[in-house]
Amino acid sequence: MADAEKVLVVDDESLMHELYGEALGDRFALSFASDGEDALRQLAQGLNPAAIVMDVSMPGLDGYETCRRLRQQLPDAPPVLFVSGNDRLEDRMRGYDAGGSDYLCKPFEADELEAKIRLQIQADGQRRALNAERDEAVMAVLSSADMAGELGVVLDFQRGLNNCADAEALATQLFEAVARYGFEACVRVHSRGRMLSRSSSGPCSALEHSILNVLESQKEGPRIRPFQSNTSFNFGTVVLFVRQLAMARSADMDDESRQRHGRAIDNIALLLEAAVSRLQAIEGEGALHDLGATRRLIDMASQTLHEVVRRNEAMAGDVREAFAHLQSELELNFVHLGLTTRQEDLLSDLVKAHAERVLGVLEQSRETERSLQRVIADLRAQG
Protein backbone atom coordinates (compact mmCIF):
# COMPACT_ATOMS: atom_id res chain seq x y z
CA MET A 1 0.00 0.00 0.00
CA ALA A 2 3.01 2.30 0.23
CA ASP A 3 2.74 3.12 -3.50
CA ALA A 4 -1.07 3.11 -3.71
CA GLU A 5 -2.78 6.24 -4.98
CA LYS A 6 -4.35 8.38 -2.28
CA VAL A 7 -8.12 8.81 -2.47
CA LEU A 8 -10.21 11.08 -0.24
CA VAL A 9 -13.75 9.84 0.50
CA VAL A 10 -16.23 12.53 1.57
CA ASP A 11 -19.44 11.19 3.15
CA ASP A 12 -21.38 12.15 6.26
CA GLU A 13 -22.35 8.57 7.12
CA SER A 14 -19.85 6.49 9.09
CA LEU A 15 -21.42 3.32 7.69
CA MET A 16 -20.50 4.46 4.18
CA HIS A 17 -16.92 4.94 5.37
CA GLU A 18 -16.87 1.27 6.35
CA LEU A 19 -18.36 0.24 3.01
CA TYR A 20 -15.80 2.26 1.08
CA GLY A 21 -13.06 0.79 3.22
CA GLU A 22 -14.21 -2.76 2.42
CA ALA A 23 -14.61 -1.98 -1.30
CA LEU A 24 -11.47 0.07 -1.89
CA GLY A 25 -9.24 -0.27 1.17
CA ASP A 26 -6.95 -2.86 -0.41
CA ARG A 27 -6.79 -0.94 -3.72
CA PHE A 28 -6.13 2.67 -2.63
CA ALA A 29 -4.74 4.59 0.34
CA LEU A 30 -8.02 5.99 1.67
CA SER A 31 -8.61 9.12 3.75
CA PHE A 32 -12.05 10.09 5.04
CA ALA A 33 -13.88 13.38 5.61
CA SER A 34 -17.17 13.57 7.52
CA ASP A 35 -18.61 16.44 5.46
CA GLY A 36 -17.73 19.11 2.90
CA GLU A 37 -16.19 21.54 5.36
CA ASP A 38 -14.01 18.78 6.83
CA ALA A 39 -12.81 17.88 3.32
CA LEU A 40 -11.94 21.50 2.46
CA ARG A 41 -10.11 21.86 5.76
CA GLN A 42 -8.01 18.73 5.20
CA LEU A 43 -7.12 19.82 1.66
CA ALA A 44 -6.16 23.29 2.86
CA GLN A 45 -3.88 21.70 5.46
CA GLY A 46 -1.92 19.83 2.79
CA LEU A 47 -3.79 16.62 2.04
CA ASN A 48 -3.04 15.85 -1.61
CA PRO A 49 -5.14 12.94 -2.91
CA ALA A 50 -5.01 11.72 -6.49
CA ALA A 51 -8.83 11.68 -6.61
CA ILE A 52 -11.85 12.54 -4.46
CA VAL A 53 -15.03 10.45 -4.09
CA MET A 54 -17.78 12.86 -3.02
CA ASP A 55 -21.27 12.08 -1.72
CA VAL A 56 -23.82 14.49 -3.19
CA SER A 57 -26.32 14.65 -0.29
CA MET A 58 -24.68 15.93 2.88
CA PRO A 59 -25.83 18.34 5.62
CA GLY A 60 -24.36 21.82 5.46
CA LEU A 61 -22.33 21.95 2.27
CA ASP A 62 -23.63 19.42 -0.22
CA GLY A 63 -21.29 17.72 -2.64
CA TYR A 64 -21.88 20.22 -5.46
CA GLU A 65 -21.10 23.29 -3.33
CA THR A 66 -18.10 21.56 -1.78
CA CYS A 67 -16.72 20.86 -5.25
CA ARG A 68 -17.29 24.45 -6.35
CA ARG A 69 -15.44 25.78 -3.32
CA LEU A 70 -12.70 23.23 -3.84
CA ARG A 71 -12.11 24.51 -7.39
CA GLN A 72 -11.90 28.05 -6.05
CA GLN A 73 -9.56 27.04 -3.23
CA LEU A 74 -7.34 24.81 -5.41
CA PRO A 75 -7.56 25.63 -9.15
CA ASP A 76 -5.42 22.57 -9.90
CA ALA A 77 -7.49 20.31 -7.63
CA PRO A 78 -7.71 16.53 -8.24
CA PRO A 79 -10.69 15.00 -10.09
CA VAL A 80 -13.95 14.66 -8.16
CA LEU A 81 -16.25 11.66 -8.65
CA PHE A 82 -19.78 12.28 -7.38
CA VAL A 83 -21.76 9.42 -5.80
CA SER A 84 -25.53 9.85 -5.58
CA GLY A 85 -28.77 7.95 -5.31
CA ASN A 86 -30.25 10.14 -8.09
CA ASP A 87 -29.70 9.31 -11.75
CA ARG A 88 -31.55 12.22 -13.34
CA LEU A 89 -29.92 14.21 -16.13
CA GLU A 90 -30.33 17.46 -14.21
CA ASP A 91 -28.41 15.96 -11.27
CA ARG A 92 -25.58 14.92 -13.54
CA MET A 93 -25.52 18.40 -15.12
CA ARG A 94 -25.29 19.98 -11.66
CA GLY A 95 -22.27 17.78 -10.99
CA TYR A 96 -20.69 18.81 -14.28
CA ASP A 97 -21.34 22.52 -13.66
CA ALA A 98 -19.83 22.22 -10.18
CA GLY A 99 -16.58 20.93 -11.68
CA GLY A 100 -17.01 17.19 -11.23
CA SER A 101 -15.17 14.70 -13.42
CA ASP A 102 -17.57 11.72 -13.17
CA TYR A 103 -20.91 10.69 -11.65
CA LEU A 104 -21.75 7.28 -10.15
CA CYS A 105 -25.12 6.11 -8.84
CA LYS A 106 -25.74 4.10 -5.67
CA PRO A 107 -25.59 1.24 -5.14
CA PHE A 108 -22.23 0.89 -6.88
CA GLU A 109 -20.04 -2.07 -7.70
CA ALA A 110 -16.55 -1.97 -6.19
CA ASP A 111 -14.91 -2.93 -9.49
CA GLU A 112 -16.79 -0.23 -11.39
CA LEU A 113 -15.89 2.43 -8.83
CA GLU A 114 -12.23 1.37 -8.87
CA ALA A 115 -12.17 1.50 -12.69
CA LYS A 116 -13.70 4.98 -12.73
CA ILE A 117 -11.27 6.25 -10.10
CA ARG A 118 -8.25 4.88 -11.96
CA LEU A 119 -9.50 6.31 -15.25
CA GLN A 120 -9.84 9.77 -13.72
CA ILE A 121 -6.41 9.56 -12.08
CA GLN A 122 -4.89 8.59 -15.43
CA ALA A 123 -6.75 11.36 -17.26
CA ASP A 124 -5.68 13.92 -14.67
CA GLY A 125 -2.05 12.86 -15.03
CA GLN A 126 -2.25 13.23 -18.81
CA ARG A 127 -3.91 16.63 -18.44
CA ARG A 128 -1.13 17.84 -16.15
CA ALA A 129 1.50 16.56 -18.58
CA LEU A 130 -0.19 18.36 -21.48
CA ASN A 131 -0.39 21.57 -19.46
CA ALA A 132 3.29 21.29 -18.57
CA GLU A 133 4.25 20.87 -22.25
CA ARG A 134 2.04 23.80 -23.20
CA ASP A 135 3.56 26.04 -20.52
CA GLU A 136 7.05 25.04 -21.59
CA ALA A 137 6.27 25.97 -25.19
CA VAL A 138 4.81 29.33 -24.18
CA MET A 139 7.80 30.13 -21.96
CA ALA A 140 10.19 29.22 -24.78
CA VAL A 141 8.47 31.69 -27.09
CA LEU A 142 8.47 34.44 -24.47
CA SER A 143 12.16 33.79 -23.82
CA SER A 144 12.85 34.08 -27.54
CA ALA A 145 11.06 37.42 -27.63
CA ASP A 146 13.16 38.62 -24.67
CA MET A 147 16.39 37.65 -26.43
CA ALA A 148 15.32 39.42 -29.61
CA GLY A 149 14.60 42.56 -27.58
CA GLU A 150 17.99 42.39 -25.88
CA LEU A 151 19.78 42.08 -29.21
CA GLY A 152 17.70 45.00 -30.40
CA VAL A 153 19.43 47.13 -27.72
CA VAL A 154 22.76 46.28 -29.38
CA LEU A 155 21.49 47.35 -32.79
CA ASP A 156 19.98 50.56 -31.42
CA PHE A 157 23.31 51.33 -29.76
CA GLN A 158 25.20 50.73 -33.00
CA ARG A 159 22.87 53.05 -34.90
CA GLY A 160 23.17 55.73 -32.21
CA LEU A 161 26.97 55.57 -32.41
CA ASN A 162 26.81 57.33 -35.78
CA ASN A 163 25.79 60.49 -33.94
CA CYS A 164 28.59 60.24 -31.35
CA ALA A 165 31.32 62.72 -32.25
CA ASP A 166 33.30 62.49 -28.99
CA ALA A 167 33.95 60.37 -25.92
CA GLU A 168 31.28 62.18 -23.84
CA ALA A 169 28.52 61.33 -26.29
CA LEU A 170 29.76 57.74 -26.57
CA ALA A 171 29.72 57.30 -22.75
CA THR A 172 26.18 58.67 -22.59
CA GLN A 173 25.06 56.26 -25.31
CA LEU A 174 26.72 53.38 -23.48
CA PHE A 175 25.03 54.18 -20.16
CA GLU A 176 21.63 54.34 -21.85
CA ALA A 177 22.13 50.89 -23.39
CA VAL A 178 23.36 49.35 -20.11
CA ALA A 179 20.36 50.88 -18.30
CA ARG A 180 18.01 49.12 -20.74
CA TYR A 181 19.44 45.84 -19.45
CA GLY A 182 18.64 47.02 -15.90
CA PHE A 183 22.15 47.88 -14.66
CA GLU A 184 24.29 50.88 -13.67
CA ALA A 185 27.95 51.33 -14.51
CA CYS A 186 31.01 53.56 -14.57
CA VAL A 187 33.28 53.91 -17.60
CA ARG A 188 36.67 55.23 -18.64
CA VAL A 189 37.24 56.25 -22.25
CA HIS A 190 40.54 57.25 -23.88
CA SER A 191 40.10 59.40 -26.99
CA ARG A 192 42.30 61.99 -28.75
CA GLY A 193 44.87 61.91 -25.99
CA ARG A 194 42.34 62.63 -23.24
CA MET A 195 40.79 60.44 -20.57
CA LEU A 196 37.12 60.63 -19.62
CA SER A 197 35.76 58.92 -16.48
CA ARG A 198 32.03 58.93 -15.78
CA SER A 199 29.34 56.97 -13.95
CA SER A 200 25.68 56.47 -14.78
CA SER A 201 24.74 59.24 -12.33
CA GLY A 202 27.43 61.78 -13.33
CA PRO A 203 31.11 62.29 -12.44
CA CYS A 204 32.90 59.32 -10.94
CA SER A 205 33.39 59.19 -7.19
CA ALA A 206 36.87 58.75 -5.71
CA LEU A 207 36.11 55.07 -5.12
CA GLU A 208 34.95 54.58 -8.70
CA HIS A 209 38.14 56.25 -9.95
CA SER A 210 40.22 53.84 -7.89
CA ILE A 211 38.26 50.83 -9.21
CA LEU A 212 38.76 51.97 -12.81
CA ASN A 213 42.48 52.46 -12.14
CA VAL A 214 42.81 48.88 -10.97
CA LEU A 215 40.80 47.53 -13.91
CA GLU A 216 42.77 49.56 -16.43
CA SER A 217 46.05 48.23 -15.05
CA GLN A 218 44.99 44.64 -15.81
CA LYS A 219 46.64 44.39 -19.21
CA GLU A 220 47.01 40.62 -19.27
CA GLY A 221 44.34 37.94 -19.09
CA PRO A 222 40.70 37.95 -20.17
CA ARG A 223 38.98 41.19 -21.13
CA ILE A 224 35.87 40.27 -19.14
CA ARG A 225 36.33 39.40 -15.46
CA PRO A 226 34.20 38.90 -12.36
CA PHE A 227 34.71 41.54 -9.68
CA GLN A 228 32.92 40.13 -6.60
CA SER A 229 29.20 40.49 -7.48
CA ASN A 230 30.03 42.78 -10.41
CA THR A 231 31.61 42.41 -13.87
CA SER A 232 34.44 44.39 -15.47
CA PHE A 233 35.15 44.85 -19.18
CA ASN A 234 38.61 46.02 -20.30
CA PHE A 235 38.66 46.72 -24.04
CA GLY A 236 41.73 48.94 -23.99
CA THR A 237 40.41 52.36 -24.91
CA VAL A 238 37.14 51.61 -23.08
CA VAL A 239 37.00 50.19 -19.54
CA LEU A 240 33.55 49.49 -18.11
CA PHE A 241 32.54 48.41 -14.60
CA VAL A 242 28.92 47.16 -14.31
CA ARG A 243 27.44 46.99 -10.83
CA GLN A 244 25.44 43.95 -9.66
CA LEU A 245 25.98 42.12 -12.95
CA ALA A 246 27.10 38.75 -11.63
CA MET A 247 29.55 36.95 -13.85
CA ALA A 248 30.18 34.39 -11.10
CA ARG A 249 26.54 33.45 -10.47
CA SER A 250 25.80 32.16 -6.96
CA ALA A 251 24.09 28.83 -6.33
CA ASP A 252 21.00 30.53 -4.87
CA MET A 253 20.35 32.59 -8.03
CA ASP A 254 17.29 31.39 -9.94
CA ASP A 255 17.65 30.06 -13.49
CA GLU A 256 15.92 33.03 -15.11
CA SER A 257 18.34 35.50 -13.46
CA ARG A 258 21.31 33.32 -14.39
CA GLN A 259 20.31 33.33 -18.03
CA ARG A 260 19.53 37.05 -18.05
CA HIS A 261 22.90 37.95 -16.52
CA GLY A 262 24.72 35.67 -18.95
CA ARG A 263 23.01 37.26 -21.96
CA ALA A 264 23.66 40.74 -20.59
CA ILE A 265 27.40 40.04 -20.34
CA ASP A 266 27.51 38.79 -23.95
CA ASN A 267 25.51 41.74 -25.25
CA ILE A 268 27.49 44.37 -23.30
CA ALA A 269 30.66 42.90 -24.81
CA LEU A 270 29.11 43.55 -28.24
CA LEU A 271 28.39 47.13 -27.16
CA LEU A 272 32.02 47.69 -26.22
CA GLU A 273 33.34 46.19 -29.44
CA ALA A 274 31.16 48.62 -31.37
CA ALA A 275 32.24 51.49 -29.07
CA VAL A 276 35.93 50.74 -29.68
CA SER A 277 35.31 50.73 -33.44
CA ARG A 278 33.58 54.08 -33.11
CA LEU A 279 36.48 55.52 -31.13
CA GLN A 280 38.85 54.40 -33.88
CA ALA A 281 36.71 56.30 -36.36
CA ILE A 282 36.76 59.40 -34.15
CA GLU A 283 40.54 59.14 -33.85
CA GLY A 284 40.85 58.91 -37.61
CA GLU A 285 38.93 60.97 -40.12
CA GLY A 286 35.92 61.71 -37.93
CA ALA A 287 32.53 60.06 -37.38
CA LEU A 288 30.67 61.41 -40.38
CA HIS A 289 33.35 60.67 -43.00
CA ASP A 290 34.85 57.38 -41.89
CA LEU A 291 33.30 54.95 -44.36
CA GLY A 292 35.44 52.09 -43.08
CA ALA A 293 34.03 52.40 -39.56
CA THR A 294 30.50 52.68 -40.93
CA ARG A 295 30.95 49.49 -42.94
CA ARG A 296 32.23 47.69 -39.86
CA LEU A 297 29.15 48.80 -37.92
CA ILE A 298 26.91 47.68 -40.77
CA ASP A 299 28.62 44.27 -40.86
CA MET A 300 28.20 43.87 -37.09
CA ALA A 301 24.55 44.90 -37.32
CA SER A 302 23.96 42.46 -40.20
CA GLN A 303 25.54 39.63 -38.21
CA THR A 304 23.41 40.43 -35.18
CA LEU A 305 20.23 40.52 -37.28
CA HIS A 306 21.17 37.20 -38.86
CA GLU A 307 21.49 35.72 -35.36
CA VAL A 308 18.07 37.09 -34.33
CA VAL A 309 16.42 35.64 -37.42
CA ARG A 310 18.14 32.29 -36.91
CA ARG A 311 17.03 32.06 -33.29
CA ASN A 312 13.45 33.07 -34.07
CA GLU A 313 13.17 30.59 -36.94
CA ALA A 314 14.48 27.79 -34.74
CA MET A 315 12.11 28.79 -31.94
CA ALA A 316 9.16 28.98 -34.34
CA GLY A 317 9.88 25.45 -35.52
CA ASP A 318 10.12 24.17 -31.95
CA VAL A 319 6.85 25.83 -30.95
CA ARG A 320 4.93 24.53 -33.95
CA GLU A 321 6.27 21.04 -33.31
CA ALA A 322 5.33 21.27 -29.63
CA PHE A 323 1.73 22.29 -30.34
CA ALA A 324 1.41 19.71 -33.12
CA HIS A 325 2.56 17.09 -30.59
CA LEU A 326 0.06 18.41 -28.03
CA GLN A 327 -2.81 18.27 -30.52
CA SER A 328 -1.84 14.79 -31.69
CA GLU A 329 -1.51 13.46 -28.13
CA LEU A 330 -4.83 15.02 -27.21
CA GLU A 331 -6.69 13.43 -30.11
CA LEU A 332 -5.08 10.04 -29.50
CA ASN A 333 -6.05 10.08 -25.81
CA PHE A 334 -9.65 11.33 -26.14
CA VAL A 335 -10.91 7.77 -26.29
CA HIS A 336 -9.09 6.91 -23.04
CA LEU A 337 -9.96 10.01 -21.04
CA GLY A 338 -13.63 9.25 -20.57
CA LEU A 339 -14.66 12.82 -21.47
CA THR A 340 -17.99 13.99 -22.88
CA THR A 341 -18.10 15.50 -26.34
CA ARG A 342 -18.48 18.91 -24.75
CA GLN A 343 -15.41 18.34 -22.55
CA GLU A 344 -13.40 17.19 -25.57
CA ASP A 345 -14.43 20.34 -27.47
CA LEU A 346 -13.54 22.55 -24.50
CA LEU A 347 -10.12 20.91 -24.16
CA SER A 348 -9.44 21.26 -27.90
CA ASP A 349 -10.50 24.90 -27.79
CA LEU A 350 -8.16 25.48 -24.84
CA VAL A 351 -5.18 24.10 -26.78
CA LYS A 352 -6.14 26.18 -29.83
CA ALA A 353 -6.42 29.33 -27.70
CA HIS A 354 -2.93 28.82 -26.31
CA ALA A 355 -1.64 28.11 -29.80
CA GLU A 356 -3.08 31.41 -30.99
CA ARG A 357 -1.45 33.20 -28.07
CA VAL A 358 1.94 31.70 -28.88
CA LEU A 359 1.58 32.54 -32.56
CA GLY A 360 0.74 36.11 -31.53
CA VAL A 361 3.97 36.32 -29.55
CA LEU A 362 5.87 34.95 -32.54
CA GLU A 363 4.31 37.61 -34.73
CA GLN A 364 5.56 40.27 -32.30
CA SER A 365 9.00 38.74 -32.68
CA ARG A 366 8.63 39.04 -36.46
CA GLU A 367 7.86 42.72 -35.97
CA THR A 368 11.13 43.01 -34.03
CA GLU A 369 12.94 41.51 -36.99
CA ARG A 370 11.32 44.03 -39.34
CA SER A 371 12.37 46.87 -37.03
CA LEU A 372 15.93 45.57 -37.03
CA GLN A 373 15.88 45.40 -40.82
CA ARG A 374 14.93 49.07 -40.90
CA VAL A 375 17.89 49.76 -38.61
CA ILE A 376 20.20 47.99 -41.06
CA ALA A 377 18.73 50.01 -43.93
CA ASP A 378 19.38 53.24 -42.01
CA LEU A 379 22.97 52.20 -41.35
CA ARG A 380 23.57 51.39 -44.99
CA ALA A 381 22.02 54.69 -46.08
CA GLN A 382 24.33 56.56 -43.71
CA GLY A 383 27.34 54.48 -44.86
Side-chain angles (χ1 to χ4, degrees):
M1 291 298 295
D3 297 328
E5 289 94 345
K6 296 179 181 178
V7 174
L8 173 63
V9 175
V10 186
D11 198 298
D12 62 302
E13 296 183 11
S14 57
L15 177 60
M16 289 302 299
H17 290 190
E18 295 179 7
L19 292 177
Y20 279 115
E22 292 176 0
L24 303 175
D26 58 347
R27 312 181 194 203
F28 301 99
L30 298 181
S31 298
F32 296 94
S34 58
D35 54 35
E37 292 184 352
D38 183 25
L40 293 175
R41 182 167 52 253
Q42 290 188 47
L43 293 166
Q45 291 174 350
L47 181 64
N48 186 27
I52 300 174
V53 177
M54 181 91 67
D55 186 34
V56 169
S57 300
M58 294 185 293
L61 296 180
D62 63 14
Y64 301 133
E65 182 60 25
T66 300
C67 186
R68 274 190 289 269
R69 296 193 185 186
L70 170 62
R71 297 301 178 195
Q72 295 172 357
Q73 177 177 305
L74 299 172
D76 199 27
V80 174
L81 293 83
F82 286 114
V83 178
S84 172
N86 298 319
D87 193 22
R88 298 174 302 178
L89 177 60
E90 51 265 35
D91 293 311
R92 292 179 177 270
M93 289 304 303
R94 287 184 66 190
Y96 175 77
D97 292 338
S101 301
D102 205 343
Y103 193 100
L104 186 66
C105 291
K106 298 178 181 178
F108 55 80
E109 294 290 335
D111 290 342
E112 179 187 10
L113 179 57
E114 178 191 7
K116 284 180 173 289
I117 292 174
R118 294 197 184 282
L119 180 62
Q120 290 304 322
I121 291 175
Q122 179 184 17
D124 188 57
Q126 293 172 338
R127 176 186 63 81
R128 292 173 187 270
L130 289 172
N131 286 344
E133 290 186 27
R134 178 206 67 204
D135 293 342
E136 183 178 351
V138 171
M139 289 304 299
V141 172
L142 295 177
S143 177
S144 176
D146 288 341
M147 286 188 287
E150 291 167 0
L151 289 171
V153 174
V154 176
L155 290 179
D156 287 344
F157 175 77
Q158 292 170 348
R159 179 171 59 176
L161 284 178
N162 286 327
N163 298 319
C164 294
D166 54 33
E168 184 76 26
L170 187 146
T172 299
Q173 191 82 11
L174 186 59
F175 287 139
E176 290 176 356
V178 171
R180 289 176 66 180
Y181 291 127
F183 300 100
E184 294 183 345
C186 58
V187 68
R188 176 166 292 173
V189 181
H190 291 273
S191 177
R192 297 180 178 176
R194 301 180 61 184
M195 182 182 76
L196 171 72
S197 298
R198 275 194 53 191
S199 73
S200 299
S201 57
C204 283
S205 66
L207 180 57
E208 288 172 330
H209 272 294
S210 66
I211 291 174
L212 291 172
N213 289 338
V214 171
L215 298 179
E216 190 174 13
S217 68
Q218 296 174 338
K219 305 294 186 181
E220 303 296 331
R223 296 189 296 179
I224 305 173
R225 306 187 188 198
F227 199 93
Q228 296 181 1
S229 61
N230 316 291
T231 299
S232 66
F233 301 79
N234 188 342
F235 280 63
T237 54
V238 181
V239 178
L240 183 72
F241 177 75
V242 184
R243 290 192 285 271
Q244 301 305 311
L245 173 57
M247 184 175 180
R249 267 87 71 185
S250 61
D252 59 350
M253 181 180 289
D254 60 83
D255 289 340
E256 181 180 355
S257 296
R258 285 172 176 266
Q259 295 175 11
R260 183 175 68 86
H261 280 230
R263 294 196 304 268
I265 290 172
D266 293 340
N267 290 329
I268 291 174
L270 291 176
L271 299 180
L272 293 181
E273 288 178 353
V276 169
S277 295
R278 183 57 185 165
L279 283 175
Q280 292 173 351
I282 293 174
E283 290 287 345
E285 300 176 4
L288 296 177
H289 302 93
D290 193 337
L291 296 179
T294 301
R295 292 192 185 98
R296 286 194 295 273
L297 291 175
I298 292 173
D299 289 341
M300 292 180 65
S302 298
Q303 292 172 7
T304 305
L305 178 58
H306 176 75
E307 178 64 15
V308 171
V309 173
R310 186 190 67 78
R311 291 184 185 181
N312 282 350
E313 287 177 350
M315 186 60 64
D318 291 343
V319 169
R320 291 190 182 94
E321 182 179 353
F323 274 106
H325 177 71
L326 280 176
Q327 191 67 42
S328 176
E329 287 291 319
L330 191 62
E331 293 173 358
L332 288 175
N333 284 284
F334 270 157
V335 70
H336 303 296
L337 296 179
L339 304 178
T340 65
T341 300
R342 179 181 177 186
Q343 289 172 322
E344 292 178 354
D345 292 340
L346 288 173
L347 190 54
S348 294
D349 289 344
L350 179 63
V351 172
K352 292 177 182 177
H354 282 289
E356 292 174 358
R357 178 189 173 201
V358 171
L359 292 175
V361 175
L362 285 174
E363 183 56 33
Q364 293 178 5
S365 182
R366 296 298 184 190
E367 180 59 33
T368 300
E369 293 178 14
R370 290 189 283 271
S371 297
L372 299 183
Q373 289 171 348
R374 290 193 290 270
V375 171
I376 298 296
D378 289 345
L379 289 171
R380 293 192 183 280
Q382 295 175 26

